[in-house]
Structure formats: C-alpha cells, structure tokens
C-alpha cells in the first residue's frame, strides 16, 4: 500500500507500507528462492538505494489496519506502534492471499505465496528427507501454473512430486484438452505423478498430527508426507471492506464497490469509488476479474503514476498471457486461447507422441490473430504475442514451427508496429526499443543503444521474467540493420565468419595451421583480433604447444612470453597451486626463488602465489627451479583455466559436507591448459556457507549432504554476475560430466572474448537452453563434447616444461637478440613494505634511469627515492 502527498517544496513524498520485513521483491521469481541457496538469491525489486532517495520512505513490518477516506488517513500498526498516516492520494496494492481448502485436515497444509512460505517448504523438505531416509512425497493440490512450478521446485530439492487437480488436465484455465493431454505427457516424463479429474476431500494425518496422505473424493488415498495448496489467490480486500466511506464530488456518499469475486472495483483510470483512492494489482477488480499476474499489475502502476502526474493513461484490460517456467516443458497460452469469439477459426498442429501441440486462433478469415496455445514447442509464442489483435503478416500455418511449414513467425518481428508490446511484464513496446536503438530520447543524454544489456538497462525490457529477451535481441539486430549499422557476425575484416562458425569449419576440415585457415576462409595477413582467436581455437582443438609451427606470432604478448607483462616491462611468475593446497616444501622453493631473483610476492585472490619483477631472460631459469620441485605453469597469462578456488571442506572443517579441496584439485588438474574464448575460473565450496565464493565463478560447485550443486555463468569484472543453478545433488562423475559439456559447448559457441555470463545471457533460451543441452542432451552432442574434453585431458602438456625441453623454444626468452645474457638496465625497482616495486617516473629521475635491478637485500641497503 502506497501513500503519496506533496511536501513543502512542492515535490512528491511517497511512503510505502509493507507488512513483510523484506524490501519489495519479485514474487514471479519465488521458485528461485525455493531451489536456490539460502542467502544467495536476491529477488529485490529495484535498487536498495531507492529508499535513500529524498521523498521516499519504506516502512517494513508495518500493517495497514484501518482506512478513513473522509479524514484521508490510514491506520498502521508496527511491532510496537499504532499511528495514523495522512495522505493526499492513496494507492492500494495489498495484493492477495493464497486460497485455502475448506476440507478436514486443511490446517496441516502449506501454501506457496511469500518468501517465508518457500523458505519453510525448503527447510521442511530437507528435514523430511533426513527423517524418512527417502525422498519425501510432496503432494501439490492444484495443477495450474503455480502448482506445477511448486511441484518442480519440490522435485529439484529431492522430493517425489505429486500433483492433485480436480480438472481433467493441468492448466485447464489456459489450455484446451489437446494441449492439456500433451502437457500431461511432458510432465509425466519429468517424473511427476498426476492425479487428475478428482477433487481431494480430506488431508489424512496420524495420531501425532503428521501428514500421511490425501483422501480423494473417489475414496482413493494418495500417500503424501507434505501437502502444498496452490489453487489460486483471494484478493486482500479486508481493509476496503472495513473502510469508512468518504464523500464524493457531488456531495453524496462515495463508496467502494466490491467485485463479484472480491477486490475493489476500479475504472479505466484505476480509480476506486472513493475520492483520491486508487487500486492496482490483485486487489483491483476490473471487468469483474482480479488476476494474479504481474503484467497487468505493472501496467496499472504505470497508469496511476501517469494520472498522479496529470496524464490521461487508461487501463486497456488484462493481458492473460501465461508461460510455464519449467525446464524441458515449454508451454505458453495467450489471448482467446479457447476460440470463444464468434466465428473464431482454430489452426492446429498436434503430435501426441512427441508431446507437441500448437494452436493459433484467428478471425474467420484467417487474418487477424485472436490467441494461441503452444505445448512442447512454444517458440512461435515470442513472435505472435505482440501481434495479438492485429493482422498476421503471413498465413497462420507459417507460425506452426513444429509442423515444419514455417519459421515460427520470427520474420514478423522485423515489422512489428511501434505500439506492439514486446515486454508485457514492464509494458515495453517495440517503439520504445526502437527509440533506444536509434537514440531518440528514451534514455536522455545517452548514446544510441547497440547491445541487449544496454536495451535492458534503458527500457527495463526483459528484466523481470526474461522470456522476451530473445525477441528483444532479434529486434535490436533488425533495427541496427535498418539504421545503416551493419550487423555482421564477422570475426574481423579478414575473417567473414563468426567465431562459432570459424571453430566449426576448423574442426570439420581438421585444419591445423593459420596459413591453411586464411587460405580457405580469410583474406590478407590477419590482425590482432583474428590471429589470437585462431591460435586459441587451434589450441583448444589440438592441444599442441601454442608457440610452435608459426603460432607464436599469432599470440598476444603475454602468451608469447608464457607470462604476464607488468607495467615496467618485467613479468610475473605464477605456478599452479591446485585448489590452493600446497606443501611446506613447495612453499620453501617459491620463497627461495623469490629471494634469489629479487621478486615481489603476493597471494592472489585465486589462492596462488604471484611473483613479480622477473626479466624475460630470467623466466627459463626461474621455471627450471620451480618445475624441478614438482610445480607447473599456472597459465595466468592465457585465455584459459586460471584457478579453482576452494575452502578447506570436510577434511578439516566441522561444517564441511564434502571434500571440496579434493574436488577442486581434481577439477583444476582436469581443465588446466584448456584454451577458451575468455579466462575461466572455478570455485568449490564445502557447504552452503560458500567460503570459496563459488557463485562468483564461471563454474561454481557447492557441496550438499547428497552431493554437489552445480552453478554456471558467474563472473567478476566490470559487470559482475552471480552463477545460476544448473543441477543439484550430483555425484562426482555426473558433476564432471556436466562441467565437461558446459565448457566445451561454451568454447564452441561463444564469441571472441565473451565471458560465460554474457554468453549464457545472450543464448536464445538463456540458462534453460544451457540446461537442455548440458543436462538433457537436447542437441544430441553430449558424447561429442565429452570426447573433445577427454582429448584435451589426454594431450595436456605443461607449456613451461615443454619450453625448457627444447633449445629452439628457449631462444624466445632473450631481452636482447645480440646480447642474450645481458640484463635490461632500464628496469628500476625501489623498496616498499620490505619488498620491491617498479619506480615511478619521479623516482626514476631521482635514482637514475640506468640503475639495474637489485636483490631485496641490496635494495634495502640503498637509499630510497625520498632519501636520494
């Protein structure tokens, strides 16, 4: 509930009153809180800093208990306070409660509505699993969207999901019988047990009050250990029912009118019958309906905001389009899905064996789109939904992608009218997206947007449920092409292919040299874009020494030196320390090497020891000593695996549930040397406390009592991203199998220098597509990806060990070709904190530019720059 008024300066003052203790959060994404790690899932709507804005106030843990429209006050109760809040304008957004069952034993059921609800269910499923010694049977009463998603969440937590629904088929409000039958086959294949067509009559418990099952109206007893009710919502209109009515403009009484199914009636402006009182969301009844959908709630909020600013926006009615969020089960419904419009025509393609059903509803002339249903393959939904109520740009059959007769309507996206809504969650039209791309003022003061991330930030499209992101991306590409910006997938001016295409042609044709690749697929001599890209592709496919056969000239500076160049022209030396585990003997060798060569040492964020200040000609001697002690290159210089960070795990920690160090070492030794489009980092945590910060890595592994949870697509950097859950409770073998597939799929399909987070985000289907490829093998390439990784593991060779074994390779490591043993005396170091660092420009002038590099002992005895 929001109260709004004007402060003394004439600006707005908004107070939001919420009885929950949290910042406002996204209920659409509650399933993430059910299946994600506690404390790591953030559903907060908007930036927390919003509530630090002058004129904005948030009162959490405070409930509105009374409303006096005549006095224009709202009575609120906090934990220890009761007060009257005055308002100039009042917006009611009290939402709804989960509906309950009026049957015996209903007090032993639970609902799926708030964060507290899902946290309880998560904990209870875990408790039952431990107590029973088997997967608990979770019965979800209700086969609608929320019920199926709740059952899927329970299954992901290790429970056996049961769905009880009085209707003959699930999602009967959105799907007709043919679609319902297809959905039934799909969810049965996912391991769900469906009891349909019969209503529950009682929840059975034992003498201790423990749930044992659900008694059905036909006398059957469905065994269950936990019962969740998801049969719909009821508007929270108790505040309105008890309100003191105010006075209308005519001087007569102004009354709230309640809808036939509850809720407060609003007009097209979202105003109620009381003056200065508005209602939005599930508590608002429009056209006799109250719906628990996010898109109309957001639209109502925008209309009220516009009206409060003097605008004339009106509510167009409910957008009832729905899409099921369940991995491997593609379902969407929109518009007049049941062809209730007189003369409506249904165009249907059904393949029951495959669980596919596609239907388009049009006017009787087959021209104007009225609605549709898609099960098993909902790809046309993205293209069709914005065209609702409009004339189709092609005959309807062209949109039935499963039939093979058309493209699913993707071509229609290019010509969408400006007022067609692409993102219904945030009511973003195609025109707003085009304005952002063309720089027409959508984001004032900003340059035209030319990527998906910029469009999302500018317009908010795709920032809620995310289903429209592929559509947004296609429109962006089409608009850039129309505005004269060449949308080219070419790697560079010399290679007309994308990186993915180039990878495939090199693999299929078994090309092994830069010259052959350029002769077949390129022009010219190459550049600093295509050369290192080709070198990386060759390394990832053939595991050959990266500097042989002319490949040395293709590499970046760091790869050519097998070390990272620093700002003073020296290099860093980073031996691999798998999982952060190292013996005292190896620590001693590192210390001795650092002392001998006067190197600065630092422990890195990846649990390694970095030694700085080595000259180029010193690198072979340094590595000879390290390799003799059993160490190898940490490849800190390459676009490849960097580190696998770990906590101490169950070996020592009393909270550890698995051996995180052992797993981290196994993963690092498996993926070391793996060349990729960008650097790769992994983390392995031994429990949910997450000490290894695994969810900030490209691949994060977190131990559970039953195995490992696998997270993918986390990145640090300028645009950090949390890794997302891909699979749960995996054994060691399955975990490694999935990581093999994930890495090889990324290496094959990502763009040049594209991190896993951005790659995953820009894939059509995002994380769900990744899950289908990696976990479900939807493309049938899992075995091929695993074989490719096995080849890499088999042929891995430490690059520095290979360098030291070949005198010709060692010739690269000379500061001066004509004086290979001479040191570069332009390098100047000064002491700081008992070590050395590069001298600043002023210090170089003070000390003299020809002073050679010193050992720490000599540097400590020499005068500092300030003393000089």
């Amino acid at each position: 509930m929001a109260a709004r008024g004007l402060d003394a300066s004439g600006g707005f003052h908004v107070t939001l009153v919420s009885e929950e203790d949290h910042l406002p959060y996204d209920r659409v994404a509650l399933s993430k809180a059910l299946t994600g790690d506690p404390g790591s899932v953030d559903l907060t709507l908007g930036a927390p800093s919003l509530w630090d804005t002058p004129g904005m106030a948030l009162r959490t843990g405070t409930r509105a208990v009374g409303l006096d429209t005549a006095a224009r006050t709202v009575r609120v109760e906090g934990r220890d306070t009761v007060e009257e809040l005055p308002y100039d304008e009042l917006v009611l957004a009290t939402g709804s409660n989960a509906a309950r069952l009026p049957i015996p034993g209903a007090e032993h059921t639970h609902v799926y509505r708030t964060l507290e609800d899902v946290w309880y269910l998560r904990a209870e499923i875990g408790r039952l699993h431990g107590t029973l010694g088997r997967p608990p049977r979770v019965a979800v009463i209700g086969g609608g969207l929320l019920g199926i998603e709740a059952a899927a969440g329970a299954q992901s937590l290790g429970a056996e999901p049961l769905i009880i629904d009085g209707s003959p088929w699930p999602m009967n409000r959105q799907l007709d019988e043919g679609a319902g039958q297809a959905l039934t086959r799909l969810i049965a294949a996912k391991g769900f047990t469906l009891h349909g067509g019969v209503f529950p009559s009682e929840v059975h418990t034992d003498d201790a009050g423990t749930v044992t099952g659900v008694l059905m109206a036909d006398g059957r007893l469905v065994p269950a250990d936990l019962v969740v009710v998801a049969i719909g919502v009821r508007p929270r209109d108790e505040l309105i029912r008890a309100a003191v009515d105010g006075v209308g403009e005519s001087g007569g009484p102004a009354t709230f009118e309640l809808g036939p199914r509850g809720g407060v009636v609003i007009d097209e402006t979202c105003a109620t019958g009381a003056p200065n009182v508005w209602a939005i969301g599930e508590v608002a009844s429009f056209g006799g309906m109250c719906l628990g959908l996010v898109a109309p709630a957001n639209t109502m909020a925008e209309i009220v905001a516009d009206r409060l600013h003097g605008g004339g926006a009106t509510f167009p009615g409910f957008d009832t389009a729905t899409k099921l969020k369940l991995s491997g089960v593609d379902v969407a419904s929109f518009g007049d899905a049941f062809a209730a419009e007189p003369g409506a025509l249904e165009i249907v393609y059904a393949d029951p064996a495959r669980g596919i059903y596609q239907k388009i509803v049009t006017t009787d002339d087959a021209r104007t789109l009225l609605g549709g249903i898609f099960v098993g393959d909902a790809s046309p939904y993205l293209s069709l939904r914005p065209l609702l109520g409009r004339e189709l740009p092609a005959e309807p059959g062209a949109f039935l992608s499963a039939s093979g007769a058309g493209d699913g309507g993707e071509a229609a996206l290019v010509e969408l009218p400006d007022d067609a809504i692409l993102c219904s969650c945030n009511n973003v039209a195609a025109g707003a997206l085009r304005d952002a791309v063309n720089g027409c003022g959508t984001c004032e003061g900003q340059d035209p947007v030319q990527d998906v991330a910029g469009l999302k930030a500018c317009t908010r499209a795709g920032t809620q449920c995310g289903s429209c992101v592929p559509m947004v991306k296609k429109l962006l590409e089409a608009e850039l092409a129309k505005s004269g910006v060449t949308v080219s997938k070419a790697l560079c001016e010399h290679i007309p292919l994308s990186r993915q295409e180039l990878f495939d042609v090199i693999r299929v044709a078994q090309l092994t040299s830069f010259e052959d690749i350029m002769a077949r697929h390129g022009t010219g001599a190459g550049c600093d874009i295509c050369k290192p890209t080709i070198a990386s592709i060759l390394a990832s496919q053939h595991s050959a020494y990266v500097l042989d056969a002319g490949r040395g000239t293709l590499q970046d500076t760091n790869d050519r030196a097998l070390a990272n160049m620093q700002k003073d022209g020296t290099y860093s030396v980073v031996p691999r320390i798998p999982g952060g585990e190292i013996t005292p003997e190896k620590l001693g060798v590192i210390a001795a090497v650092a002392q001998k060569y006067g190197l600065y040492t630092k422990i890195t964020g990846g649990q390694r020891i970095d030694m700085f200040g080595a000259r180029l000609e010193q690198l072979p001697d340094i590595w000879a000593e390290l390799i003799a002690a059993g160490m190898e290159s940490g490849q800190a210089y390459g676009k490849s695996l960097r580190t696998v960070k770990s906590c101490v795990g169950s070996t020592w920690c009393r909270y550890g549930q698995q051996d995180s160090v052992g797993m981290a070492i196994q993963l690092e030794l498996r993926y070391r040397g793996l060349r990729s489009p960008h650097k790769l980092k992994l983390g392995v945590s031994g429990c949910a406390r997450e000490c290894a910060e695994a969810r900030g890595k490209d691949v994060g592994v977190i131990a559970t009592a039953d195995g490992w949870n696998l997270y993918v697509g986390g990145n640090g950097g300028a645009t950090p991203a949390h890794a997302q859950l891909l699979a749960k409770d995996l054994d060691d073998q399955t975990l490694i199998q999935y990581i093999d597939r994930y890495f090889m799929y990324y290496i094959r399909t990502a763009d040049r220098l594209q991190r896993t987070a951005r790659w995953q985000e820009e894939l059509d289907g995002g994380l769900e597509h990744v899950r289908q490829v990696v976990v479900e093998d939807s493309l049938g390439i899992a075995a091929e990806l695993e074989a490719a990784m096995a080849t890499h593991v088999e042929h891995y060779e430490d690059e520095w060990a290979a360098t030291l074994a070949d005198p010709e390779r060692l010739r690269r490591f000379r500061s001066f070709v004509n004086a290979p043993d001479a040191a570069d005396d332009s390098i100047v170091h000064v002491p700081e904190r008992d070590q050395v660092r590069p001298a600043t420009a002023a210090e170089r002038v003070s000390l003299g530019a020809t002073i050679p590099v010193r050992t720490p002992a000599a540097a400590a005895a020499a005068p500092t720059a300030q003393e000089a």
Side-chain angles (χ1 to χ4, degrees), residues 209-261:
T210 301
V211 170
T212 59
V214 179
L215 181 66
M216 307 296 285
D218 60 3
R220 286 181 296 138
L221 181 66
V222 177
D225 305 301
L226 182 68
V227 179
V228 179
V229 177
I231 58 173
V233 295
R234 299 290 182 267
R236 291 199 57 180
D237 55 13
E238 64 271 18
L239 187 66
I240 301 153
R241 292 176 183 272
V244 177
D245 294 327
V247 178
E249 293 181 2
S250 63
T255 60
F256 291 118
E257 181 183 352
L258 294 173
R261 297 184 179 180

Side-chain angles (χ1 to χ4, degrees), residues 618-821:
Q618 291 177 321
L619 291 175
D621 293 335
I622 291 172
W623 276 110
E625 296 189 37
L626 295 173
I627 289 172
M631 286 178 269
E632 64 178 34
S633 171
Q635 282 201 309
Y637 46 82
K639 295 294 183 286
S640 58
L641 177 75
R642 295 295 176 85
T643 64
V644 183
K645 186 175 182 178
S646 76
C647 66
V648 73
S650 61
T651 307
W652 289 92
C653 179
R654 60 195 175 105
Y655 299 113
Q657 294 184 304
Q658 304 288 344
D659 180 11
S660 56
V661 178
M663 177 55 69
I665 292 172
Q666 185 177 359
L667 294 177
E668 186 155 350
L669 296 181
R670 182 172 184 81
Y671 302 120
R672 58 186 173 177
L674 181 64
R675 296 279 172 160
S676 60
H678 211 290
K679 61 186 176 185
L680 298 172
K681 296 182 180 181
L682 290 81
V684 184
S685 288
C687 73
R689 287 170 176 79
E690 247 283 71
C691 293
E693 302 168 330
R695 291 200 63 201
K697 304 295 190 287
D698 298 277
V699 167
V701 179
I702 301 177
T704 71
D706 300 312
W708 305 97
N709 286 352
L710 175 59
Y711 294 82
V712 293
N715 290 162
T719 53
H722 264 108
Q724 298 174 282
L725 181 66
L726 184 69
K728 293 176 65 68
D729 297 329
L730 306 176
D731 57 39
D732 291 6
Q733 180 180 354
T734 306
L735 173 70
I736 293 171
Q737 184 181 53
Y738 286 176
I739 298 175
D740 283 358
R741 297 176 185 178
Y742 179 79
F743 274 155
M744 291 310 301
Y745 189 52
Y746 162 68
I747 289 169
R748 288 190 175 190
T749 60
D751 290 336
R752 167 185 171 269
L753 299 181
Q754 188 177 40
R755 298 295 299 269
T756 55
R758 304 286 82 81
W759 164 73
Q760 197 166 292
E761 180 182 272
E762 293 184 12
L763 283 173
D764 283 355
L767 178 67
E768 290 306 311
H769 172 76
V770 173
R771 181 178 287 111
Q772 289 167 15
V773 173
V774 171
V775 177
E776 301 170 13
D777 192 19
S778 61
L779 299 181
I781 60 173
E784 183 181 337
L785 298 176
E786 291 171 26
M789 186 62 75
T791 299
H792 160 75
V793 174
E794 179 184 357
H795 293 97
Y796 167 76
E797 181 182 26
D798 174 50
E799 290 169 350
W800 265 110
T803 300
L804 294 173
D806 189 331
E808 284 303 309
R809 292 170 177 169
L810 284 171
R811 290 169 59 85
R812 297 177 177 276
F813 298 94
R814 296 174 293 178
S815 294
F816 303 101
V817 175
N818 57 349
D821 298 324

Side-chain angles (χ1 to χ4, degrees), residues 304-395:
V304 172
D306 180 71
R307 287 280 171 170
L308 293 178
H309 282 81
T314 57
F315 183 57
F318 289 108
D319 179 357
T320 59
T322 51
K323 198 170 191 301
L324 178 63
K325 298 183 289 295
L326 177 59
S327 174
V329 181
D330 211 8
V331 179
S333 171
F334 68 104
D336 183 15
F338 293 93
E341 184 79 16
L345 184 66
E346 298 175 272
I347 301 95
V348 178
Y349 174 82
D351 187 342
R354 294 165 58 200
I356 289 179
Y357 181 91
Q358 295 184 328
K359 180 174 80 171
I360 293 175
V361 181
T362 68
T363 51
D364 58 0
D365 59 2
R367 300 180 66 179
T368 302
L369 179 65
L370 299 179
I373 297 176
F374 298 92
V375 176
D377 177 5
S379 55
Y381 166 79
L382 294 175
S383 303
L384 286 170
R385 184 176 174 182
L387 295 172
L388 185 63
R390 302 174 186 275
E391 186 170 320
L392 290 170
E395 59 93 15

Side-chain angles (χ1 to χ4, degrees), residues 111-463:
V111 295
Y112 184 80
R113 184 64 181 158
T114 67
L115 277 174
E116 281 75 14
D117 293 334
V118 298
W119 288 340
Y120 172 83
L121 292 174
R122 180 188 179 90
E124 185 65 6
I125 290 172
R127 185 191 69 79
L128 287 170
H129 203 291
T131 302
L132 300 171
R134 59 168 173 80
R137 294 180 290 256
V138 177
V140 179
I141 299 177
L145 276 169
L146 193 62
I148 295 175
E149 289 177 13
Q155 184 185 52
S156 70
L157 293 174
E160 179 185 332
L162 319 168
I163 297 178
I164 297 172
D165 192 37
S167 302
W169 59 84
M171 291 184 63
N172 69 304
R173 293 187 179 181
Q174 293 87 22
L175 307 181
D176 60 18
E177 184 173 1
Q181 290 174 349
L183 176 57
T184 299
R185 291 179 63 89
L186 290 175
I187 63 176
K190 297 285 289 184
F192 291 48
T193 300
L194 179 63
H195 300 275
V198 181
F199 288 92
S201 61
E202 184 178 350
V203 176
H204 268 212
T205 60
D206 60 18
D207 293 339
T210 301
V211 170
T212 59
V214 179
L215 181 66
M216 307 296 285
D218 60 3
R220 286 181 296 138
L221 181 66
V222 177
D225 305 301
L226 182 68
V227 179
V228 179
V229 177
I231 58 173
V233 295
R234 299 290 182 267
R236 291 199 57 180
D237 55 13
E238 64 271 18
L239 187 66
I240 301 153
R241 292 176 183 272
V244 177
D245 294 327
V247 178
E249 293 181 2
S250 63
T255 60
F256 291 118
E257 181 183 352
L258 294 173
R261 297 184 179 180
V264 59
V265 173
I266 61 171
D267 62 18
E268 70 277 3
T269 71
C270 296
T272 69
N276 307 101
V277 180
W278 317 77
I280 63 174
E282 294 144 307
V283 74
S285 176
F286 185 80
M289 293 192 299
C290 293
L291 293 184
L293 299 174
V294 67
N298 286 347
T299 300
M300 290 177 183
E302 291 178 354
I303 288 166
V304 172
D306 180 71
R307 287 280 171 170
L308 293 178
H309 282 81
T314 57
F315 183 57
F318 289 108
D319 179 357
T320 59
T322 51
K323 198 170 191 301
L324 178 63
K325 298 183 289 295
L326 177 59
S327 174
V329 181
D330 211 8
V331 179
S333 171
F334 68 104
D336 183 15
F338 293 93
E341 184 79 16
L345 184 66
E346 298 175 272
I347 301 95
V348 178
Y349 174 82
D351 187 342
R354 294 165 58 200
I356 289 179
Y357 181 91
Q358 295 184 328
K359 180 174 80 171
I360 293 175
V361 181
T362 68
T363 51
D364 58 0
D365 59 2
R367 300 180 66 179
T368 302
L369 179 65
L370 299 179
I373 297 176
F374 298 92
V375 176
D377 177 5
S379 55
Y381 166 79
L382 294 175
S383 303
L384 286 170
R385 184 176 174 182
L387 295 172
L388 185 63
R390 302 174 186 275
E391 186 170 320
L392 290 170
E395 59 93 15
F399 293 88
L400 299 177
S401 57
S403 69
D407 64 358
E410 288 193 9
L413 279 173
V414 180
E415 303 302 328
L416 279 179
D418 282 346
D419 61 342
I421 301 298
L422 261 73
C423 174
S424 62
C425 289
N426 292 307
N427 199 34
V428 182
L433 291 165
R434 290 190 176 108
D435 286 347
V437 175
N438 296 318
C440 296
T442 301
C443 291
E444 186 174 352
Q446 294 187 9
D447 293 332
V449 178
Q450 296 194 354
D451 58 31
V452 173
L455 269 183
K456 291 170 71 174
C458 179
T459 66
R460 295 172 54 226
T463 59

